[in-house]
Amino acid sequence: MYSPLYPQRVSYSNSLVKVSFPSLEIAGYNFMSCSTEYLEEVSLPKLKELSDGALTYAVYLKRIYMPNVEKIGDGVLEENKTLEEIDLPKLEILGRSFLRSNNTIKVLNLPKLSYIPYEMLGENNSVEQVYAPVAKRIEEFAFFDNRMMKSFIAPNVVDIDDNTIFSNN
């Protein structure tokens, strides 16, 4: 049954392992969130916008393919403990808490990201390298408690909030 509150939610399908939406351009609030525990792979080749809360708590998610995404909302991909691959070559705008509590991605290349958002990669025990060549700003609590960070390259940053990259435990 259609619900205006969750128009694109795949509802409680613990048996889903692989999902592909080859023509999807916008994924709504909580898209495939909390209900797809065993999901391993997602392919969204034409996706341009991924809304708040999408793809969180997919504990076994390993690969995400969304090469055309330009905007990602708040709380996307939180608590995904096995994510190994994500390529975001066109991403420009990113919401809060992206990849928070994710423990497997080692390198994150964000060639078009305009700023590093609040709590991005917070409580993340795997990312070793982040490359964001056009980012101009780093918001509060970005990289908070990220113990494995070895390299952060953002040559155009001109503004850094309090409690950011250097406040790791």
Side-chain angles (χ1 to χ4, degrees):
M1 182 163 87
Y2 174 78
S3 166
L5 296 176
Y6 305 104
Q8 296 179 5
R9 186 170 183 168
V10 174
S11 182
Y12 300 98
S13 296
N14 281 336
S15 60
L16 276 176
V17 176
K18 184 176 180 181
V19 171
S20 177
F21 290 104
S23 299
L24 185 65
E25 293 185 9
I26 298 173
Y29 180 76
N30 277 344
F31 173 75
M32 300 194 70
S33 181
C34 304
S35 59
T36 52
E37 181 180 352
Y38 295 103
L39 187 63
E40 293 179 12
E41 186 173 327
V42 174
S43 178
L44 306 166
K46 291 189 178 179
L47 189 72
K48 293 192 184 288
E49 184 176 332
L50 189 59
S51 296
D52 296 352
L55 295 165
T56 58
Y57 302 105
V59 181
Y60 298 104
L61 187 59
K62 292 180 182 173
R63 285 174 290 289
I64 298 175
Y65 179 70
M66 39 188 198
N68 290 303
V69 73
E70 297 170 356
K71 181 179 179 183
I72 292 179
D74 293 342
V76 171
L77 291 167
E78 284 192 53
E79 302 286 339
N80 293 56
K81 305 296 184 187
T82 59
L83 186 60
E84 296 170 357
E85 292 180 39
I86 186 168
D87 188 22
L88 304 166
K90 295 185 179 181
L91 182 66
E92 294 178 18
I93 300 169
L94 185 56
R96 301 171 143 214
S97 303
F98 180 68
L99 287 173
R100 186 173 184 269
S101 298
N102 181 298
N103 295 315
T104 50
I105 289 182
K106 300 270 186 230
V107 177
L108 194 56
N109 185 9
L110 303 164
K112 293 190 175 190
L113 187 64
S114 59
Y115 64 95
I116 306 295
Y118 176 89
E119 217 175 46
M120 175 178 148
L121 294 170
E123 298 177 46
N124 188 306
N125 294 314
S126 66
V127 171
E128 296 177 3
Q129 180 180 346
V130 173
Y131 180 61
V134 300
K136 299 218 182 272
R137 183 167 196 267
I138 302 174
E139 292 185 351
E140 191 172 30
F141 296 111
F143 312 112
F144 181 75
D145 199 16
N146 191 322
R147 298 176 182 157
M148 300 303 290
M149 182 76 73
K150 293 178 182 167
S151 174
F152 176 73
I153 301 168
N156 289 304
V157 169
V158 295
D159 181 18
I160 298 177
D161 285 354
D162 296 336
N163 301 312
T164 58
I165 193 168
F166 303 111
S167 65
N168 297 328
N169 294 333

